[in-house]
Amino acid sequence: MRSDGTLVRAHSRWAAGARREMAILGFIVLAVVGLGNGNIAAGGGQVPRPHSTVKYPIRFDTAPAPRVQPRPQPTVSYPIKFPSLKDAR
């Protein structure tokens, strides 16, 4: 009913046919979920469980020995003088 008292026919905001299509989609989703979650075990009925393949302690016997890095060499042949904190003031 409007504010002036006029009766208004009830309506839905759904587009024409949208309610039916959503119902069909809902039934399809329910069917897929229902059939997809079946408890079917192939074989003797026991489900294989994962197990760890890690062997502890972990050793790296085939790793090469660490190399000793030589001291870095300067990239320029002239000395670079950096200003001290006293000179900056």
Side-chain angles (χ1 to χ4, degrees):
M1 183 179 290
R2 291 187 181 164
S3 61
D4 63 356
T6 308
L7 291 176
V8 178
R9 187 177 60 159
H11 66 280
S12 174
R13 290 180 180 256
W14 288 69
R19 188 178 310 267
R20 177 181 172 270
E21 290 187 7
M22 282 301 290
I24 292 171
L25 180 64
F27 287 129
I28 291 172
V29 168
L30 284 174
V32 168
V33 170
L35 295 175
N37 288 336
N39 191 6
I40 301 172
Q46 292 205 357
V47 180
R49 301 285 179 213
H51 61 280
S52 176
T53 58
V54 178
K55 296 178 183 174
Y56 292 101
I58 298 174
R59 298 177 194 258
F60 299 101
D61 297 331
T62 59
R67 295 185 340 179
V68 176
Q69 295 290 331
R71 292 193 59 172
Q73 298 295 321
T75 56
V76 295
S77 59
Y78 53 89
I80 300 174
K81 294 185 179 181
F82 293 98
S84 66
L85 292 177
K86 293 179 183 176
D87 295 340
R89 292 182 180 195

Coordinates of all heavy atoms in Angstrom, one line a residue:
M1 N 0.8 -1.2 0.0 CA 0.0 0.0 0.0 C 0.9 1.2 0.0 O 1.9 1.3 0.8 CB -0.9 0.0 1.2 CG -1.9 1.1 1.3 SD -3.0 1.1 2.7 CE -4.0 -0.2 2.3
R2 N 0.5 2.2 -0.8 CA 1.3 3.4 -0.9 C 0.8 4.4 0.2 O -0.2 4.1 0.9 CB 1.1 4.1 -2.3 CG 1.7 3.3 -3.4 CD 1.7 4.1 -4.7 NE 2.3 3.3 -5.7 CZ 2.1 3.6 -7.0 NH1 1.3 4.6 -7.4 NH2 2.7 2.8 -7.9
S3 N 1.6 5.5 0.3 CA 1.2 6.4 1.4 C -0.1 7.1 1.2 O -0.8 7.5 2.1 CB 2.3 7.5 1.5 OG 2.4 8.2 0.3
D4 N -0.6 7.1 -0.1 CA -1.9 7.7 -0.4 C -3.0 6.7 -0.3 O -4.2 7.0 -0.5 CB -1.9 8.4 -1.7 CG -1.7 7.5 -2.9 OD1 -1.5 6.2 -2.6 OD2 -1.8 7.9 -4.0
G5 N -2.7 5.4 0.1 CA -3.8 4.4 0.2 C -4.0 3.5 -1.0 O -4.8 2.6 -0.9
T6 N -3.3 3.7 -2.1 CA -3.4 2.9 -3.3 C -2.8 1.5 -3.0 O -1.7 1.4 -2.5 CB -2.7 3.6 -4.5 OG1 -3.1 4.9 -4.6 CG2 -3.0 2.8 -5.8
L7 N -3.6 0.5 -3.4 CA -3.1 -0.9 -3.3 C -2.1 -1.2 -4.4 O -2.4 -0.8 -5.6 CB -4.2 -1.8 -3.3 CG -5.2 -1.8 -2.1 CD1 -6.3 -2.8 -2.3 CD2 -4.4 -2.2 -0.8
V8 N -1.0 -1.8 -4.1 CA 0.0 -2.2 -5.0 C 0.1 -3.7 -5.0 O 0.2 -4.3 -4.0 CB 1.4 -1.5 -4.7 CG1 2.4 -1.9 -5.7 CG2 1.2 0.0 -4.6
R9 N 0.2 -4.3 -6.2 CA 0.3 -5.7 -6.4 C 1.7 -6.1 -5.9 O 2.7 -5.4 -6.2 CB 0.1 -6.1 -7.8 CG 0.1 -7.6 -8.0 CD -0.2 -7.9 -9.5 NE 0.8 -7.3 -10.3 CZ 1.1 -7.7 -11.5 NH1 0.4 -8.6 -12.1 NH2 2.1 -7.1 -12.2
A10 N 1.8 -7.2 -5.2 CA 3.1 -7.7 -4.7 C 4.0 -8.2 -5.9 O 3.4 -8.7 -6.9 CB 2.9 -8.9 -3.7
H11 N 5.2 -8.0 -5.8 CA 6.1 -8.4 -6.9 C 7.5 -8.8 -6.3 O 7.8 -8.6 -5.1 CB 6.4 -7.2 -7.8 CG 7.1 -6.0 -7.2 ND1 6.5 -5.1 -6.4 CD2 8.4 -5.7 -7.2 CE1 7.4 -4.2 -6.0 NE2 8.5 -4.6 -6.4
S12 N 8.3 -9.4 -7.1 CA 9.6 -9.9 -6.7 C 10.6 -9.2 -7.5 O 10.4 -8.8 -8.7 CB 9.6 -11.4 -7.0 OG 10.9 -11.9 -6.7
R13 N 11.8 -9.1 -7.0 CA 12.9 -8.4 -7.7 C 13.6 -9.4 -8.6 O 14.5 -9.0 -9.3 CB 13.9 -7.8 -6.7 CG 13.3 -6.6 -6.0 CD 14.3 -6.0 -5.0 NE 13.8 -4.9 -4.3 CZ 14.1 -3.6 -4.6 NH1 15.0 -3.4 -5.6 NH2 13.6 -2.7 -3.9
W14 N 13.3 -10.7 -8.5 CA 14.0 -11.6 -9.4 C 13.6 -11.4 -10.9 O 12.4 -11.1 -11.1 CB 13.6 -13.1 -9.0 CG 14.3 -13.5 -7.7 CD1 14.0 -13.0 -6.5 CD2 15.3 -14.4 -7.5 NE1 14.8 -13.6 -5.5 CE2 15.6 -14.5 -6.2 CE3 16.0 -15.3 -8.4 CZ2 16.5 -15.4 -5.7 CZ3 17.0 -16.1 -7.9 CH2 17.2 -16.2 -6.6
A15 N 14.5 -11.7 -11.8 CA 14.2 -11.6 -13.2 C 13.3 -12.8 -13.6 O 13.2 -13.8 -12.9 CB 15.4 -11.6 -14.0
A16 N 12.6 -12.7 -14.7 CA 11.7 -13.7 -15.1 C 12.5 -15.0 -15.4 O 13.5 -15.0 -16.1 CB 11.0 -13.3 -16.4
G17 N 12.1 -16.1 -14.7 CA 12.8 -17.4 -14.9 C 14.0 -17.6 -14.0 O 14.6 -18.7 -13.9
A18 N 14.4 -16.6 -13.3 CA 15.7 -16.7 -12.5 C 15.4 -17.6 -11.3 O 16.3 -18.3 -10.9 CB 16.1 -15.3 -12.0
R19 N 14.3 -17.5 -10.7 CA 14.0 -18.3 -9.5 C 14.0 -19.8 -9.9 O 14.6 -20.6 -9.2 CB 12.6 -18.0 -8.9 CG 12.3 -18.6 -7.6 CD 11.0 -18.2 -7.0 NE 10.8 -16.7 -7.0 CZ 11.1 -16.0 -6.0 NH1 11.5 -16.5 -4.9 NH2 10.9 -14.7 -6.1
R20 N 13.5 -20.2 -11.0 CA 13.5 -21.6 -11.5 C 14.9 -22.0 -11.8 O 15.3 -23.1 -11.4 CB 12.6 -21.7 -12.7 CG 12.6 -23.1 -13.3 CD 11.7 -23.1 -14.6 NE 11.8 -24.3 -15.3 CZ 12.7 -24.6 -16.2 NH1 13.5 -23.7 -16.6 NH2 12.7 -25.8 -16.8
E21 N 15.7 -21.2 -12.4 CA 17.1 -21.6 -12.8 C 17.9 -21.7 -11.5 O 18.8 -22.6 -11.5 CB 17.7 -20.6 -13.7 CG 17.0 -20.6 -15.1 CD 17.7 -19.7 -16.1 OE1 18.8 -19.2 -15.8 OE2 17.2 -19.6 -17.2
M22 N 17.7 -20.9 -10.5 CA 18.5 -21.0 -9.3 C 18.1 -22.3 -8.6 O 18.9 -23.0 -7.9 CB 18.3 -19.8 -8.4 CG 19.1 -18.6 -8.8 SD 20.8 -18.9 -8.8 CE 21.2 -19.0 -7.1
A23 N 16.8 -22.7 -8.6 CA 16.4 -23.9 -8.0 C 17.0 -25.1 -8.7 O 17.5 -26.0 -8.0 CB 14.9 -24.0 -8.0
I24 N 17.1 -25.1 -10.0 CA 17.7 -26.2 -10.8 C 19.2 -26.2 -10.4 O 19.8 -27.3 -10.2 CB 17.5 -26.0 -12.3 CG1 16.0 -26.2 -12.6 CG2 18.4 -26.9 -13.1 CD1 15.7 -25.8 -14.1
L25 N 19.9 -25.1 -10.4 CA 21.3 -25.1 -10.0 C 21.5 -25.6 -8.6 O 22.5 -26.3 -8.4 CB 21.8 -23.6 -10.2 CG 23.3 -23.5 -9.8 CD1 24.2 -24.2 -10.8 CD2 23.7 -22.0 -9.8
G26 N 20.6 -25.2 -7.7 CA 20.7 -25.7 -6.3 C 20.6 -27.3 -6.3 O 21.4 -27.9 -5.5
F27 N 19.7 -27.8 -7.0 CA 19.5 -29.3 -7.0 C 20.8 -30.0 -7.6 O 21.2 -31.0 -7.1 CB 18.3 -29.7 -7.8 CG 17.0 -29.4 -7.1 CD1 16.0 -28.7 -7.7 CD2 16.8 -29.8 -5.8 CE1 14.8 -28.4 -7.0 CE2 15.6 -29.5 -5.1 CZ 14.6 -28.8 -5.7
I28 N 21.3 -29.4 -8.7 CA 22.5 -29.9 -9.3 C 23.7 -29.9 -8.3 O 24.4 -30.9 -8.1 CB 22.9 -29.2 -10.6 CG1 21.8 -29.5 -11.6 CG2 24.3 -29.6 -11.1 CD1 22.0 -28.6 -12.9
V29 N 23.9 -28.8 -7.6 CA 24.9 -28.7 -6.6 C 24.8 -29.7 -5.5 O 25.7 -30.4 -5.1 CB 25.0 -27.2 -6.0 CG1 25.9 -27.2 -4.8 CG2 25.5 -26.3 -7.1
L30 N 23.5 -29.8 -5.0 CA 23.3 -30.8 -3.9 C 23.6 -32.2 -4.4 O 24.1 -33.1 -3.7 CB 21.8 -30.7 -3.5 CG 21.5 -29.5 -2.6 CD1 20.0 -29.5 -2.3 CD2 22.3 -29.6 -1.3
A31 N 23.2 -32.5 -5.7 CA 23.5 -33.9 -6.2 C 25.0 -34.1 -6.3 O 25.5 -35.2 -6.0 CB 22.8 -34.0 -7.6
V32 N 25.7 -33.1 -6.8 CA 27.2 -33.3 -6.9 C 27.8 -33.5 -5.6 O 28.7 -34.4 -5.4 CB 27.8 -32.1 -7.7 CG1 29.3 -32.1 -7.6 CG2 27.3 -32.1 -9.1
V33 N 27.4 -32.7 -4.6 CA 28.0 -32.8 -3.3 C 27.6 -34.2 -2.7 O 28.4 -34.8 -2.0 CB 27.5 -31.6 -2.4 CG1 27.9 -31.9 -0.9 CG2 28.2 -30.4 -2.9
G34 N 26.3 -34.5 -2.8 CA 25.9 -35.8 -2.3 C 26.6 -37.0 -2.9 O 26.9 -38.0 -2.2
L35 N 26.7 -37.0 -4.2 CA 27.4 -38.1 -4.8 C 28.9 -38.1 -4.7 O 29.6 -39.1 -4.7 CB 27.0 -38.2 -6.3 CG 25.5 -38.4 -6.6 CD1 25.2 -38.3 -8.1 CD2 25.1 -39.8 -6.1
G36 N 29.5 -36.9 -4.6 CA 30.9 -36.8 -4.5 C 31.5 -37.2 -3.2 O 32.7 -37.5 -3.1
N37 N 30.7 -37.1 -2.1 CA 31.2 -37.4 -0.8 C 30.9 -38.9 -0.4 O 30.8 -39.2 0.8 CB 30.6 -36.5 0.2 CG 31.1 -35.1 0.1 OD1 32.2 -34.9 -0.4 ND2 30.4 -34.1 0.5
G38 N 30.7 -39.8 -1.3 CA 30.4 -41.1 -1.0 C 31.7 -41.8 -0.3 O 32.8 -41.5 -0.6
N39 N 31.4 -42.7 0.6 CA 32.5 -43.3 1.3 C 32.8 -44.6 0.6 O 32.4 -45.7 1.0 CB 32.1 -43.6 2.8 CG 33.3 -44.0 3.6 OD1 34.4 -44.0 3.1 ND2 33.0 -44.4 4.9
I40 N 33.5 -44.6 -0.5 CA 33.9 -45.7 -1.3 C 35.3 -46.0 -1.1 O 36.2 -45.1 -1.4 CB 33.5 -45.5 -2.8 CG1 32.0 -45.2 -2.9 CG2 33.9 -46.7 -3.6 CD1 31.6 -44.8 -4.3
A41 N 35.7 -47.2 -0.7 CA 37.1 -47.6 -0.6 C 37.4 -48.7 -1.5 O 36.7 -49.8 -1.5 CB 37.4 -48.0 0.9
A42 N 38.3 -48.6 -2.4 CA 38.7 -49.6 -3.4 C 39.7 -50.5 -2.7 O 40.6 -50.1 -2.0 CB 39.3 -49.0 -4.6
G43 N 39.4 -51.8 -2.8 CA 40.3 -52.8 -2.2 C 39.7 -53.4 -1.0 O 38.5 -53.7 -0.9
G44 N 40.6 -53.6 0.0 CA 40.1 -54.3 1.2 C 39.4 -53.5 2.2 O 39.1 -53.9 3.3
G45 N 39.0 -52.3 1.9 CA 38.2 -51.5 2.8 C 39.1 -50.6 3.7 O 38.5 -49.8 4.4
Q46 N 40.4 -50.8 3.7 CA 41.2 -49.9 4.5 C 41.8 -48.8 3.7 O 42.3 -49.1 2.6 CB 42.3 -50.8 5.1 CG 41.8 -51.8 6.1 CD 42.9 -52.1 7.2 OE1 44.0 -51.6 7.0 NE2 42.6 -52.9 8.1
V47 N 41.8 -47.6 4.2 CA 42.3 -46.5 3.5 C 43.8 -46.3 3.8 O 44.2 -46.4 5.0 CB 41.5 -45.2 3.9 CG1 42.1 -44.0 3.2 CG2 40.1 -45.4 3.7
P48 N 44.7 -46.2 2.8 CA 46.1 -46.1 3.1 C 46.4 -44.8 3.8 O 45.8 -43.7 3.5 CB 46.8 -46.1 1.8 CG 45.7 -45.8 0.8 CD 44.4 -46.2 1.4
R49 N 47.2 -44.8 4.8 CA 47.5 -43.6 5.6 C 48.9 -43.1 5.2 O 49.8 -43.9 4.9 CB 47.6 -43.9 7.1 CG 46.3 -44.4 7.6 CD 45.3 -43.2 7.7 NE 44.0 -43.7 8.2 CZ 42.8 -43.2 7.8 NH1 42.8 -42.2 7.0 NH2 41.7 -43.7 8.3
P50 N 49.1 -41.8 5.1 CA 50.4 -41.3 4.7 C 51.5 -41.6 5.8 O 51.1 -41.6 7.0 CB 50.2 -39.8 4.6 CG 49.0 -39.5 5.3 CD 48.2 -40.7 5.3
H51 N 52.7 -41.8 5.4 CA 53.7 -42.0 6.4 C 54.9 -41.1 6.0 O 55.1 -40.8 4.9 CB 54.1 -43.5 6.5 CG 54.7 -44.0 5.2 ND1 53.8 -44.4 4.2 CD2 55.9 -44.2 4.8 CE1 54.6 -44.9 3.2 NE2 55.8 -44.7 3.5
S52 N 55.8 -40.8 7.0 CA 56.9 -39.9 6.8 C 58.0 -40.7 6.0 O 58.3 -41.9 6.3 CB 57.4 -39.4 8.1 OG 58.6 -38.7 7.9
T53 N 58.6 -40.0 5.1 CA 59.7 -40.6 4.3 C 61.1 -40.0 4.7 O 62.1 -40.3 4.1 CB 59.5 -40.4 2.8 OG1 59.4 -39.0 2.5 CG2 58.3 -41.2 2.3
V54 N 61.1 -39.1 5.7 CA 62.3 -38.4 6.2 C 63.1 -39.3 7.1 O 62.5 -40.0 7.9 CB 61.9 -37.1 6.9 CG1 63.1 -36.4 7.4 CG2 61.1 -36.2 6.0
K55 N 64.4 -39.3 6.9 CA 65.3 -40.1 7.8 C 66.1 -39.1 8.6 O 66.8 -38.3 8.0 CB 66.2 -41.0 7.0 CG 65.3 -42.1 6.3 CD 66.2 -43.0 5.4 CE 65.4 -44.0 4.7 NZ 66.1 -44.8 3.7
Y56 N 66.0 -39.2 9.9 CA 66.7 -38.3 10.8 C 67.9 -39.0 11.4 O 67.8 -40.2 11.6 CB 65.8 -37.8 11.9 CG 64.7 -36.8 11.4 CD1 63.4 -37.3 11.2 CD2 65.0 -35.5 11.1 CE1 62.4 -36.5 10.8 CE2 64.0 -34.7 10.6 CZ 62.7 -35.2 10.5 OH 61.7 -34.4 10.0
P57 N 69.0 -38.4 11.7 CA 69.3 -37.0 11.4 C 69.7 -36.7 10.0 O 70.1 -37.7 9.3 CB 70.6 -36.7 12.3 CG 71.2 -38.0 12.4 CD 70.1 -39.1 12.4
I58 N 69.4 -35.6 9.5 CA 69.7 -35.2 8.1 C 71.2 -34.9 8.0 O 71.7 -34.1 8.7 CB 68.8 -34.0 7.7 CG1 67.3 -34.4 7.8 CG2 69.2 -33.6 6.3 CD1 66.4 -33.3 7.5
R59 N 71.8 -35.6 7.0 CA 73.2 -35.4 6.8 C 73.5 -35.0 5.3 O 72.8 -35.6 4.5 CB 74.0 -36.6 7.2 CG 73.9 -37.0 8.6 CD 74.7 -38.3 8.9 NE 74.3 -38.8 10.2 CZ 75.0 -38.7 11.2 NH1 76.2 -38.1 11.2 NH2 74.6 -39.2 12.4
F60 N 74.4 -34.2 5.1 CA 74.8 -33.8 3.8 C 76.2 -34.3 3.5 O 77.1 -33.5 3.4 CB 74.7 -32.2 3.6 CG 73.3 -31.7 3.9 CD1 73.0 -31.1 5.1 CD2 72.3 -31.8 2.9 CE1 71.7 -30.6 5.3 CE2 71.1 -31.3 3.1 CZ 70.8 -30.7 4.3
D61 N 76.3 -35.6 3.3 CA 77.6 -36.2 3.0 C 78.1 -35.9 1.7 O 79.4 -35.8 1.5 CB 77.5 -37.7 3.2 CG 77.1 -38.1 4.6 OD1 77.4 -37.4 5.5 OD2 76.4 -39.2 4.7
T62 N 77.3 -35.6 0.7 CA 77.8 -35.3 -0.7 C 78.0 -33.8 -0.9 O 78.4 -33.4 -2.0 CB 76.7 -35.8 -1.7 OG1 75.5 -35.2 -1.4 CG2 76.6 -37.4 -1.6
A63 N 77.7 -33.0 0.1 CA 77.9 -31.6 -0.1 C 79.4 -31.2 -0.1 O 80.2 -31.8 0.6 CB 77.2 -30.8 1.0
P64 N 79.8 -30.3 -1.0 CA 81.2 -29.9 -1.1 C 81.6 -29.1 0.2 O 80.8 -28.5 0.9 CB 81.3 -29.0 -2.3 CG 79.9 -28.5 -2.5 CD 79.0 -29.6 -2.0
A65 N 82.9 -29.2 0.5 CA 83.4 -28.5 1.7 C 83.3 -27.0 1.4 O 83.4 -26.5 0.3 CB 84.8 -28.8 1.9
P66 N 83.0 -26.2 2.5 CA 82.9 -24.7 2.3 C 84.2 -24.1 1.9 O 85.3 -24.5 2.4 CB 82.4 -24.2 3.6 CG 82.8 -25.3 4.6 CD 82.8 -26.6 3.9
R67 N 84.2 -23.2 0.9 CA 85.4 -22.5 0.5 C 85.7 -21.3 1.3 O 84.8 -20.6 1.8 CB 85.3 -22.1 -1.0 CG 85.1 -23.2 -2.0 CD 85.1 -22.7 -3.4 NE 84.7 -21.2 -3.5 CZ 84.6 -20.6 -4.6 NH1 84.8 -21.2 -5.7 NH2 84.4 -19.3 -4.6
V68 N 87.0 -21.1 1.6 CA 87.4 -19.9 2.3 C 87.4 -18.8 1.3 O 88.2 -18.8 0.3 CB 88.7 -20.1 3.0 CG1 89.2 -18.8 3.7 CG2 88.6 -21.3 3.9
Q69 N 86.7 -17.7 1.5 CA 86.7 -16.6 0.6 C 87.9 -15.7 0.8 O 88.3 -15.4 1.9 CB 85.4 -15.7 0.9 CG 84.1 -16.4 0.6 CD 83.9 -16.7 -0.8 OE1 84.4 -15.9 -1.7 NE2 83.2 -17.7 -1.2
P70 N 88.6 -15.3 -0.3 CA 89.7 -14.4 -0.2 C 89.3 -13.0 0.3 O 88.1 -12.7 0.2 CB 90.3 -14.4 -1.6 CG 89.2 -14.7 -2.5 CD 88.3 -15.7 -1.7
R71 N 90.2 -12.3 0.8 CA 89.8 -10.9 1.2 C 89.5 -10.1 0.0 O 90.0 -10.2 -1.0 CB 91.1 -10.3 1.9 CG 91.3 -10.9 3.3 CD 92.3 -10.1 4.0 NE 91.7 -8.8 4.2 CZ 92.2 -7.9 5.0 NH1 93.3 -8.1 5.7 NH2 91.6 -6.7 5.1
P72 N 88.5 -9.2 0.2 CA 88.1 -8.4 -1.0 C 89.2 -7.5 -1.4 O 90.0 -6.9 -0.6 CB 86.9 -7.6 -0.5 CG 86.9 -7.7 1.0 CD 87.7 -8.9 1.3
Q73 N 89.3 -7.3 -2.7 CA 90.3 -6.4 -3.3 C 89.7 -5.0 -3.6 O 88.5 -5.0 -4.0 CB 90.9 -7.0 -4.5 CG 91.7 -8.3 -4.3 CD 92.9 -8.1 -3.4 OE1 93.6 -7.1 -3.5 NE2 93.1 -9.0 -2.4
P74 N 90.4 -3.9 -3.4 CA 89.8 -2.7 -3.8 C 89.6 -2.6 -5.3 O 90.3 -3.2 -6.1 CB 90.8 -1.6 -3.3 CG 92.1 -2.4 -3.2 CD 91.7 -3.8 -2.9
T75 N 88.5 -1.9 -5.7 CA 88.2 -1.8 -7.1 C 88.9 -0.6 -7.8 O 88.8 -0.4 -9.0 CB 86.7 -1.7 -7.3 OG1 86.2 -0.5 -6.6 CG2 86.0 -2.9 -6.9
V76 N 89.5 0.3 -7.0 CA 90.2 1.4 -7.5 C 91.6 1.4 -7.0 O 91.9 0.9 -6.0 CB 89.5 2.8 -7.2 CG1 88.1 2.9 -7.8 CG2 89.4 2.9 -5.7
S77 N 92.5 2.1 -7.8 CA 93.9 2.1 -7.4 C 94.3 3.3 -6.6 O 95.5 3.3 -6.1 CB 94.8 2.0 -8.7 OG 94.5 3.1 -9.5
Y78 N 93.4 4.2 -6.4 CA 93.8 5.4 -5.6 C 93.0 5.4 -4.3 O 91.9 4.7 -4.2 CB 93.4 6.7 -6.4 CG 92.0 6.7 -6.9 CD1 91.0 7.2 -6.1 CD2 91.7 6.2 -8.2 CE1 89.7 7.2 -6.6 CE2 90.4 6.2 -8.6 CZ 89.4 6.7 -7.8 OH 88.1 6.7 -8.3
P79 N 93.5 6.0 -3.3 CA 92.8 5.9 -2.0 C 91.6 6.8 -2.0 O 91.6 7.9 -2.6 CB 93.9 6.4 -1.0 CG 94.8 7.2 -1.8 CD 94.8 6.6 -3.2
I80 N 90.6 6.4 -1.3 CA 89.4 7.2 -1.1 C 89.3 7.8 0.3 O 89.4 7.0 1.2 CB 88.1 6.4 -1.4 CG1 88.2 5.8 -2.8 CG2 86.9 7.2 -1.2 CD1 87.0 4.9 -3.1
K81 N 89.3 9.1 0.4 CA 89.2 9.7 1.7 C 87.8 10.1 2.1 O 87.2 10.8 1.4 CB 90.1 11.0 1.8 CG 91.6 10.6 1.6 CD 92.4 11.9 1.7 CE 93.9 11.5 1.5 NZ 94.7 12.7 1.7
F82 N 87.3 9.5 3.2 CA 86.0 9.8 3.7 C 86.1 10.9 4.7 O 87.0 10.9 5.6 CB 85.3 8.5 4.2 CG 85.1 7.5 3.2 CD1 85.9 6.4 3.0 CD2 83.9 7.6 2.4 CE1 85.7 5.5 2.1 CE2 83.7 6.6 1.4 CZ 84.6 5.6 1.3
P83 N 85.2 11.9 4.7 CA 85.2 12.9 5.7 C 84.9 12.3 7.1 O 84.0 11.5 7.2 CB 84.2 13.9 5.3 CG 83.2 13.1 4.4 CD 84.1 12.0 3.8
S84 N 85.6 12.8 8.1 CA 85.3 12.4 9.5 C 84.1 13.2 10.0 O 83.7 14.2 9.4 CB 86.6 12.5 10.3 OG 86.9 13.9 10.5
L85 N 83.6 12.8 11.2 CA 82.5 13.5 11.8 C 83.0 14.9 12.2 O 82.1 15.8 12.3 CB 82.0 12.7 13.0 CG 81.3 11.4 12.6 CD1 80.9 10.6 13.9 CD2 80.1 11.6 11.7
K86 N 84.2 15.1 12.6 CA 84.7 16.4 13.0 C 84.7 17.4 11.8 O 84.4 18.5 12.0 CB 86.1 16.3 13.5 CG 86.2 15.5 14.8 CD 87.6 15.4 15.3 CE 87.7 14.6 16.6 NZ 89.0 14.4 17.0
D87 N 85.0 16.9 10.6 CA 85.0 17.8 9.4 C 83.6 18.1 9.0 O 83.4 19.1 8.3 CB 85.7 17.1 8.3 CG 87.2 16.9 8.6 OD1 87.7 17.6 9.6 OD2 87.9 16.0 8.0
A88 N 82.6 17.3 9.3 CA 81.3 17.5 8.8 C 80.6 18.7 9.5 O 79.6 19.3 9.0 CB 80.4 16.3 9.0
R89 N 81.0 19.1 10.7 CA 80.4 20.2 11.4 C 80.9 21.5 10.9 O 81.4 22.3 10.5 CB 80.6 20.1 12.9 CG 79.9 18.9 13.4 CD 80.1 18.8 14.9 NE 79.4 17.7 15.4 CZ 79.1 17.5 16.6 NH1 79.5 18.4 17.5 NH2 78.5 16.4 17.0

